[in-house]
Amino acid sequence: CIQNGLYKKNCVTANILPIGPNECEVPMDSAYPVCAEKVEFLQSRWQSDPCYAFYGVDGSTCSILTYLSQIEDFCPPHLGRNHSDLVYQNTILGPAIDFIRSRVDRMSEQWIQAGLRMGHNTPVVFWTLKCAVIQVLLYPGALAGTVGQRFEAMVERGGPLGELVQWADLSACLIILGHNITFSTSHLIGAAPGRGSCPIQRPLTFDLIYTDYHGLAHLQGAMGLAFQHYQCRFRILDSFGTEPAFNLGSYAHSHGYKTLWGRWGLQPLQYMTMFPHTPDNSFLGFASEEAVRAEVREEELEPEIHRKDRIKPWPADSGTLPTTSPQSQGQNCGHVFLSCLVDDGPSLRCCFPPPRQVFVGLGFPYEGPAPIEAIALGCIFLQPQFDPPHSSDNNDFYKGKPTTRQISSQHPYAEEFIGKPHVWTVNMTNSTDVREAVKAILSTEPFTPREFTCEGMLERVHGYITHQEFCSKSVPIWPPESALRVHLGPLGQSCVSVCRHSSLVCEPALFHHLNSPSAFTRLGLGCSSVGPEINHLFPAYNPWGRHCGLQQEPLLFSCAGSDPSHRRLCPCRAHLPGQVALCPDCI
């Protein structure tokens, strides 16, 4: 059975009294004898006091049961609740919330089945002892206030939907893991009225708060003096990542790391990315809508507003694939579907109808969820190669973002972690490269990386909630030291590159094991001088002065940093197949 969103063996279910065909069910439990009576009372009286609406009651049985179990204690916690329901408090409905609710509802069966599979394949102790139920607030600041109004307007035009995909899947994931979830576009943190100069009036009732950069600014203003005390509980959904050099305000300012978004001084692992851009941040990801039906219409993979932009078929006399750019096209979907293509002498032509299709990236938007879902549905992803790579130095989109990454294609994750035969990254003006990709299309099967399945995301989020601890002053103990594989990088290479070259992943939580003179000695490095400095490259070795630099500021431990005069000491680790965020010793 399922209790609190978790699969459990040998559990006893209570008798259930059905209320309606599309509603939650009222449990008949002797430990809560007046539950049904209280439900009936609130069904007729919930509008008598605004406090009920404040706590999410909207007249439905599901919302009333949630209130009576979480706010009061008249009904058993979560028993019999609909797994696709969230507690939406003080949230203005609109296209963005509709999108989130629709996705959660559409994928609810996939999430439930993933939870059941994990329950079957994992000892019960994994769930009962390692995963205490916690109170979680989901506060997407991008949907609040005037920023939210602008965001809603963009959603109605077809984007940006990637952030909403993450909020939807995070919501579903936390529900299946059994935690108490509140989704709100208001603060709900008990702030005193005024300008935020006073601390909150009561202890924070949420164990974790998931928000974004906009929400972080809102919370700082509302919480006042209490912000620093509670900031260890924040988790920031950050699509493109925040490297440590941009995260520490004083360091970023003095070293010229200009950004509109960083400088909050959080632990870098508190930032949670859509793809594993940099291991300095935690990879949250999302769950791909897997191919669960025999036939999937191509319209389901793209917004209604963009269907008119599909290119089908590709003209046989075209020498190259169509390309575009945000500068030349303004609003565009960034991808098109083509019927399967085949080499036909001097040109390419359509060969047979869907479901075999090519999903073509047009260069923008960068790093969205659509290619992953297209690949899962059996499409081949054909994307443009960027030469030179795009970065904050030469690209307006990345300018001001807190990252130094060099973007070699429209979707680097698809290029590096999936690759051929499912992903082809080509020079779109080179017909030979395009023809080679087309020839491989006929024999390629659908593929979904495990980390982008519901089960993979459940594993990852469960690991983070169970083991990541940012409120303690002690050094991290997860991943364990047994996972550490020490590598000395060549001059000019980041630890991201050094570890990846050995099919490993840089793990910033293990840097403290290398931040001592003995670490240099074990690597056979003779140090003429050893000293701590505030430098995002350290620990590192300078061969010219034989200086061994130690890290003085733990917030600057960085997998991403590189410099031509330093050899980085890199804490690498292995990872589970298809799950880069977790190591064999991590679970």
Side-chain angles (χ1 to χ4, degrees), residues 134-142 166-167 170-171 173-174 177 179-187 204 206-213 215-216 219 233-238 269-272 282 284 457 460-466 468 470:
I134 61 174
Q135 304 293 327
V136 182
L137 171 63
L138 304 184
Y139 175 56
Q166 274 200 295
W167 283 111
L170 175 62
S171 303
C173 188
L174 292 169
L177 290 175
H179 301 299
N180 296 330
I181 312 302
T182 299
F183 189 106
S184 177
T185 55
S186 296
H187 304 142
L204 192 64
F206 297 103
D207 301 296
L208 286 179
I209 297 177
Y210 289 86
T211 187
D212 51 27
Y213 267 123
L216 202 58
L219 291 170
R233 301 189 189 184
F234 299 151
R235 304 293 184 268
I236 315 304
L237 270 65
D238 177 16
L269 287 171
Q270 289 179 256
Y271 298 99
M272 312 196 83
S282 296
L284 176 62
M457 188 172 181
R460 190 164 60 250
V461 173
H462 173 76
Y464 291 153
I465 291 176
T466 304
Q468 284 186 335
F470 302 120

Side-chain angles (χ1 to χ4, degrees), residues 268-281:
L269 287 171
Q270 289 179 256
Y271 298 99
M272 312 196 83
T273 59
M274 181 173 289
F275 293 95
H277 303 308
T278 169
D280 291 316
N281 304 145

Side-chain angles (χ1 to χ4, degrees), residues 429-558:
T429 63
N430 187 323
S431 59
T432 301
D433 287 353
V434 175
R435 291 176 194 277
E436 180 184 353
V438 168
K439 290 178 182 178
I441 289 172
L442 301 180
S443 59
T444 304
E445 297 298 324
F447 173 72
T448 302
R450 178 174 176 79
E451 54 202 357
F452 285 102
T453 64
C454 293
E455 195 167 345
M457 188 172 181
L458 285 169
E459 287 177 344
R460 190 164 60 250
V461 173
H462 173 76
Y464 291 153
I465 291 176
T466 304
H467 297 291
Q468 284 186 335
E469 173 55 71
F470 302 120
C471 296
S472 171
K473 299 298 183 182
S474 59
V475 297
I477 59 173
W478 187 80
E481 187 178 1
S482 59
L484 176 63
R485 304 290 182 268
V486 182
H487 284 252
L488 178 64
L491 292 171
Q493 281 200 18
S494 70
C495 286
V496 175
S497 300
V498 170
C499 296
R500 185 175 294 168
H501 183 73
S502 298
S503 300
L504 301 172
V505 177
C506 178
E507 178 51 67
L510 297 173
F511 261 118
H512 65 94
H513 294 295
L514 307 183
N515 200 39
S516 66
S518 61
F520 292 87
T521 302
R522 289 193 297 270
L523 290 170
L525 298 173
C527 304
S528 61
S529 61
V530 180
E533 295 182 34
I534 298 178
N535 190 321
H536 75 289
L537 301 174
F538 289 178
Y541 176 72
N542 185 324
W544 287 280
R546 295 174 56 208
H547 176 69
C548 297
L550 302 177
Q551 182 58 259
Q552 184 175 331
E553 173 51 73
L555 290 179
L556 287 176
F557 281 134
S558 173

Side-chain angles (χ1 to χ4, degrees), residues 323-372:
T323 59
T324 187
S325 69
Q327 291 78 16
S328 63
Q329 294 292 327
Q331 286 288 335
N332 69 84
C333 62
H335 307 90
V336 294
F337 282 93
L338 302 178
S339 297
C340 181
L341 309 174
V342 67
D343 193 345
D344 186 25
S347 63
L348 299 173
R349 63 177 175 82
C350 299
C351 62
F352 55 84
R356 180 67 68 211
Q357 291 182 327
V358 186
F359 193 57
V360 183
L362 303 181
F364 187 87
Y366 300 102
E367 305 179 285
I372 304 301

Side-chain angles (χ1 to χ4, degrees), residues 378-402:
C379 295
I380 308 302
F381 181 43
L382 191 62
Q383 66 168 339
Q385 181 184 66
F386 297 152
D387 186 16
H390 293 185
S391 70
S392 59
D393 294 328
N394 61 13
N395 183 270
D396 289 340
F397 180 83
Y398 283 98
K399 188 170 295 182
K401 287 185 168 55

